[in-house]
Amino acid sequence: METRTSFKGFKSKALSNENVKKEYDLLEERYKIIDMLVSMRKAAGLTQEEIAVALHTSKSNISRLESHSYSSSPKLSTLMEYAHATGHKLGLSFERA
């Protein structure tokens, strides 16, 4: 009987490939930003509909913005407006890779 590889084992093997690791790291940064957006909205007690009203857009646009499968990058102005709507201020920093 063949033993199935665990996800942890698969991930470890995949990340040993330099190209896969590079792409994974890029996605990880994006996922962190998306997770922060959702956390800020929920902490502010707001729904996607309420954020959409504040940003003068539709709920579906907010849903896409908060989606891990959305392939476009949001504008800086959108992130600033989103932060303001949740009672936050956008901060930006760069770190040496």
Side-chain angles (χ1 to χ4, degrees), residues 26-93:
L26 290 173
L27 284 175
E28 184 178 32
E29 291 174 6
R30 179 180 181 81
Y31 284 10
K32 282 181 183 177
I33 293 169
I34 292 167
D35 290 344
M36 286 170 42
L37 293 175
V38 174
S39 293
M40 288 176 0
R41 177 177 57 76
K42 289 182 176 181
L46 299 171
T47 64
Q48 287 182 338
E49 291 89 353
E50 291 167 325
I51 291 287
V53 168
L55 273 62
H56 308 287
T57 190
S58 66
K59 179 200 173 286
S60 62
N61 284 340
I62 299 302
S63 181
R64 274 194 299 277
L65 177 65
E66 294 181 355
S67 171
H68 289 286
S69 61
Y70 188 51
S71 59
S72 290
S73 295
K75 291 189 220 175
L76 187 56
S77 60
T78 300
L79 294 175
M80 290 170 65
E81 291 172 13
Y82 190 106
H84 180 74
T86 62
H88 293 82
K89 180 179 168 185
L90 179 65
L92 183 67
S93 68

Side-chain angles (χ1 to χ4, degrees), residues 7-26:
F7 178 73
K8 187 176 181 179
F10 172 80
K11 182 179 173 184
S12 177
K13 183 176 180 182
L15 292 177
S16 67
N17 178 308
E18 186 178 311
N19 293 328
V20 172
K21 174 78 169 112
K22 182 179 176 182
E23 291 300 318
Y24 179 84
D25 289 344
L26 290 173

